[in-house]
Amino acid sequence: MWLIKKAHVVDPAQGIDGICDVLFDEFILAVGQDLNGEDFLDSSHRLSVIEADGKYLFPGLIDVHAHLREPGREDKEDITSGAKAAVRGGFTTVLAMANTQPVIDNRGLVEYVMSRGEQAQGARVLPVAAVTMDLKGDALVNMAELHKAGAVAFSDDGRGVQRAQTMLLALQYAQLTGCPLISHCEDESLAKGGCMRRGFRSARLGLTGIPAAAESVMAARDILLAQENGGKLHLAHLSTAAAVAALRWGKQQGIDVTGEVNPHHLIFSDDDIGLTQTCLKVNPPLPSAEDRGVLLTALVDGTIDMLATDHAPHTWEEKARPFPEAPFGINGFETALAAVWMSLVEPGKLSVSQLVRAWSLNPARRFGLAGGSLHVDKPADIVLFDPKHTETIGQDVWLSKSTNTPYWDKEMHGFPTAVWVGGSLRDAALRDAAVRDAAIQDAAIQDAAIQQTGRERPSC
Ligand code: DOR
């Protein structure tokens, strides 16, 4: 059992934003002032008390958009390395996209992702199944069956569903499962062949541009389809002002639509791109500086509901290709929280409470997941966060198999120092010496008890 004392606890679900104590084992037992834990102790529990002055404690972050590459591209990432990198970054649950090789479009693969996730001992890994077989945009997957097997959402992410009729049917069938349908809004007839946002900068660099409309027209289309036929629609990685306007309109009409934004679309713009900076080549492409401002305003005013990394690992060799040929994607798990902290929270553009709402509470609510708050009896998915903890991003601290990040070799601060998933302390995220000492002591006491009684170590 853990008692974290005098942390700055941020839990928007309960309106908590101040110094207090949190007591938990597998579940949250109490949140309040001057807790001592004695009332909850029985002979089978030991209490580890951690003084957490100067640190934040909040519910584990939930990343609804990540690419773990297994099966098929384990050279870039696998479910174990991805789940560990995720928890190191403060994520206690991640949703794994279906654009693997083969595509997650059948029951066996949904079950495979879930069981590999359970073995990983990192963040919880939940599968997003494809919308169409092999992401081809034609035949729909068997959504009812895949949901029963464990899929928590459906998406062809990496590609947009090009035919409106297919999207309409998908929205209808997804309703039978209660799961959101995540739309990667990209009209290929407009985007194909482009490698960055079309505008002054693409012209300057001589690169083929992708017009903002490639995203905006599909966002508007999908919102109208959801209005016509219902369905829970979620718009992935929003990057254009017009798509945000469509989302705002959709919400005003009472349409069941939510949206996410990635940290890189809030921090960088197309002006930051140079011909060798393939780590900034992402899909959708980095916005204009003007659209970036619109995205931040929409996140702050709640039009955009959540943050998500779109963690997209790629090999060094692939990213070393010339800009037009390099794959789209940025590695996000281990730097996203520090990046948002340094670029948005510290300068006062986003409050800690808004961050936790957008990266934990809202994702949990929208996708029907455990976590998202520190309510008593919720699973103890917890992040202890040190705003001052500083690291230089590099091989010594890195867990992802790929290094396609603009932060490589850069010093960052604002990292989790301890993360618990369902009350189980995750080694991959352990930076806090006091928590480490307490865990070692606990293990030694358990070992002694096991030796004395001859009983098996409990598995967790
Ligand atoms: O940048 C991206 N990379 N955007 C996507 O939609 C797909 C992802 C990937 O799979 O690499």
Side-chain angles (χ1 to χ4, degrees):
M1 192 186 294
W2 293 88
L3 175 58
I4 313 293
K5 291 201 72 79
K6 294 203 166 50
H8 185 145
V9 177
V10 181
D11 182 18
Q14 301 187 85
I16 300 172
D17 190 350
I19 308 295
C20 55
D21 303 343
V22 179
L23 180 73
F24 59 94
D25 51 14
E26 239 178 288
F27 299 95
I28 309 287
L29 297 171
V31 180
Q33 303 293 334
D34 301 321
L35 300 179
N36 65 26
E38 299 301 327
D39 296 347
F40 293 87
L41 269 185
D42 57 38
S43 55
S44 62
H45 281 96
R46 225 183 68 79
L47 182 67
S48 298
V49 182
I50 303 294
E51 297 294 335
D53 305 56
K55 308 223 171 93
Y56 285 91
L57 186 151
F58 42 76
L61 303 184
I62 297 174
D63 192 2
V64 302
H65 193 146
H67 299 271
L68 301 189
R69 305 296 188 215
E70 183 181 345
R73 289 307 304 262
E74 290 85 348
D75 53 329
K76 300 182 184 207
E77 196 77 285
D78 60 35
I79 291 174
T80 304
S81 64
K84 290 196 164 160
V87 84
R88 186 161 177 85
F91 300 98
T92 51
T93 299
V94 298
L95 270 51
M97 285 295 171
N99 65 339
T100 48
Q101 296 169 9
V103 168
I104 313 291
D105 60 9
N106 63 68
R107 188 190 183 98
L109 282 168
V110 168
E111 287 170 353
Y112 174 81
V113 171
M114 299 218 319
S115 80
R116 293 280 293 127
E118 273 159 32
Q119 288 160 9
Q121 291 289 300
R124 302 174 201 275
V125 176
L126 299 172
V128 175
V131 175
T132 65
M133 297 303 290
D134 206 22
L135 307 186
K136 288 247 164 59
D138 298 323
L140 294 181
V141 301
N142 184 338
M143 291 185 180
E145 186 191 27
L146 301 194
H147 173 54
K148 226 155 125 202
V152 297
F154 297 93
S155 183
D156 276 3
D157 182 70
R159 297 195 62 189
V161 175
Q162 299 301 307
R163 285 182 64 240
Q165 171 65 6
T166 307
M167 190 63 179
L168 188 76
L169 280 176
L171 278 163
Q172 274 174 350
Y173 280 108
Q175 275 179 77
L176 302 175
T177 68
C179 292
L181 206 144
I182 305 174
S183 177
H184 167 113
C185 299
E186 180 184 2
D187 183 313
E188 287 173 6
S189 68
L190 294 172
K192 258 223 155 100
C195 58
M196 67 175 289
R197 171 70 81 86
R198 186 160 85 191
F200 183 83
R201 186 75 185 157
S202 66
R204 185 85 193 241
L205 294 173
L207 294 173
T208 309
I210 299 172
E215 171 174 309
S216 317
V217 293
M218 196 176 278
R221 179 200 78 176
D222 289 352
I223 291 166
L224 292 170
L225 293 175
Q227 183 182 39
E228 183 87 13
N229 266 283
K232 264 187 180 176
L233 175 65
H234 177 75
L235 304 179
H237 42 48
L238 287 162
S239 74
T240 72
V244 170
L247 173 62
R248 187 172 283 122
W249 176 85
K251 289 184 164 187
Q252 281 160 0
Q253 301 302 307
I255 300 165
D256 191 0
V257 58
T258 49
E260 84 196 22
V261 63
N262 307 146
H264 46 273
H265 290 126
L266 295 169
I267 294 169
F268 300 104
S269 77
D270 58 354
D271 287 335
D272 296 311
I273 293 177
L275 283 175
T276 56
Q277 270 157 314
T278 55
C279 58
L280 294 180
K281 180 177 174 184
V282 287
N283 191 19
L286 293 180
S288 62
E290 206 181 344
D291 281 11
R292 176 180 58 179
V294 173
L295 294 167
L296 181 59
T297 304
L299 178 66
V300 170
D301 75 19
T303 303
I304 294 181
D305 306 82
M306 59 194 91
L307 283 155
T309 63
D310 197 1
H311 175 76
H314 289 293
T315 63
W316 182 87
E317 289 84 352
E318 286 170 319
K319 280 292 198 181
R321 292 177 194 153
F323 200 95
E325 289 147 42
F328 291 101
I330 195 168
N331 195 303
F333 281 153
E334 291 166 81
T335 51
L337 179 55
V340 167
W341 188 265
M342 291 168 65
S343 301
L344 304 180
V345 177
E346 279 185 337
K349 297 175 181 173
L350 189 74
S351 70
V352 183
S353 172
Q354 283 165 335
L355 182 153
V356 175
R357 183 180 287 278
W359 235 342
S360 184
L361 177 59
N362 288 349
R365 283 191 175 154
R366 182 57 168 168
F367 288 85
L369 308 173
S373 113
L374 302 171
H375 260 293
V376 168
D377 290 341
K378 283 256 189 192
D381 289 0
I382 288 175
V383 173
L384 192 62
F385 173 84
D386 184 348
K388 295 205 174 86
H389 185 93
T390 302
E391 273 174 11
T392 301
I393 303 303
Q395 218 53 259
D396 293 350
V397 296
W398 199 248
L399 294 181
S400 170
K401 283 190 179 179
S402 298
T403 58
N404 53 312
T405 167
Y407 297 106
W408 199 255
D409 282 337
K410 303 242 164 39
E411 194 177 275
M412 302 184 88
H413 60 268
F415 288 97
T417 55
V419 177
W420 291 262
V421 178
S424 156
L425 182 66
R426 294 304 202 219
D427 288 343
L430 191 49
R431 296 169 166 106
D432 189 303
V435 176
R436 184 183 298 117
D437 290 350
I440 290 170
Q441 217 183 345
D442 209 29
I445 289 168
Q446 255 193 45
D447 279 346
I450 286 162
Q451 272 186 4
Q452 262 178 17
T453 60
R455 277 183 15 217
E456 295 272 305
R457 178 182 284 280
S459 65
C460 38

